[in-house]
Amino acid sequence: MDTQSATPGETNLTTLLATLKLTMSPETFVFITLPGLKLPPPSLQIQMSFREAEGTTIITTQDSADTCGIEYTFPCKMITLNVHSSLEAVGFMAAISTKLAENGIGVNPVSGYYHDHCFVPLGKENEAVKVLQDLATEAQKRIKT
């Protein structure tokens, strides 16, 4: 029995960029790692987790990590890219990360089923939003011409 379905979402890069809307989460997020198969505390609010050979990476709020007494790194803000990109879209996150890099802004991108999210260093979030809004405006101009 094949349970694979067609991948929903937009694949056209120009359309993705031109229709890009941004939402910045008010919380400060952090990255933590748990060694091996160690489980996080039940009260930890997990935004994302990913198991690697060295341990499990978890993105959570700084408040949640502090409450649980867990050491963390990379305080950051989450910018959600509110466009339903296909998981098979080519070049979308590359265009986003390249534009941020050109402006000296690091990014840790995470792709969800419906949206992509950019975790940018705390203090760089407003600059990142402006850069990405400008990128969307440039794409909109390309569509109109």
Side-chain angles (χ1 to χ4, degrees), residues 38-145:
K38 183 177 177 184
L39 296 175
S43 61
L44 185 69
Q45 298 171 4
I46 298 173
Q47 185 73 22
M48 190 279 313
S49 69
F50 191 84
R51 186 166 296 161
E52 301 179 273
E54 301 84 359
T56 301
T57 298
I58 295 175
I59 302 174
T60 185
T61 64
Q62 185 174 2
D63 287 343
S64 185
D66 285 339
T67 298
C68 292
I70 298 174
E71 190 175 313
Y72 55 82
T73 189
F74 192 62
C76 55
K77 291 290 186 175
M78 179 177 71
I79 301 170
T80 297
L81 311 179
N82 285 313
V83 59
H84 187 180
S85 59
S86 169
L87 292 169
E88 296 178 359
V90 176
F92 182 52
M93 286 311 300
I96 298 290
S97 60
T98 297
K99 189 55 85 171
L100 290 171
E102 288 171 355
N103 287 273
I105 304 170
V107 62
N108 283 285
V110 172
S111 294
Y113 190 85
Y114 293 102
H115 303 289
D116 296 294
H117 311 273
C118 295
F119 291 87
V120 299
L122 191 60
K124 294 281 191 169
E125 63 272 14
N126 292 328
E127 184 181 355
V129 166
K130 171 137 180 30
V131 166
L132 296 178
Q133 287 172 334
D134 290 348
L135 181 62
T137 300
E138 291 169 19
Q140 291 163 4
K141 289 176 184 174
R142 284 195 302 270
I143 286 179
K144 291 178 182 177
T145 57

Side-chain angles (χ1 to χ4, degrees), residues 16-31:
L16 284 167
L17 294 173
T19 58
L20 182 62
K21 302 288 184 243
L22 308 170
T23 303
M24 185 169 25
S25 181
E27 296 96 346
T28 296
F29 289 88
V30 294
F31 283 62

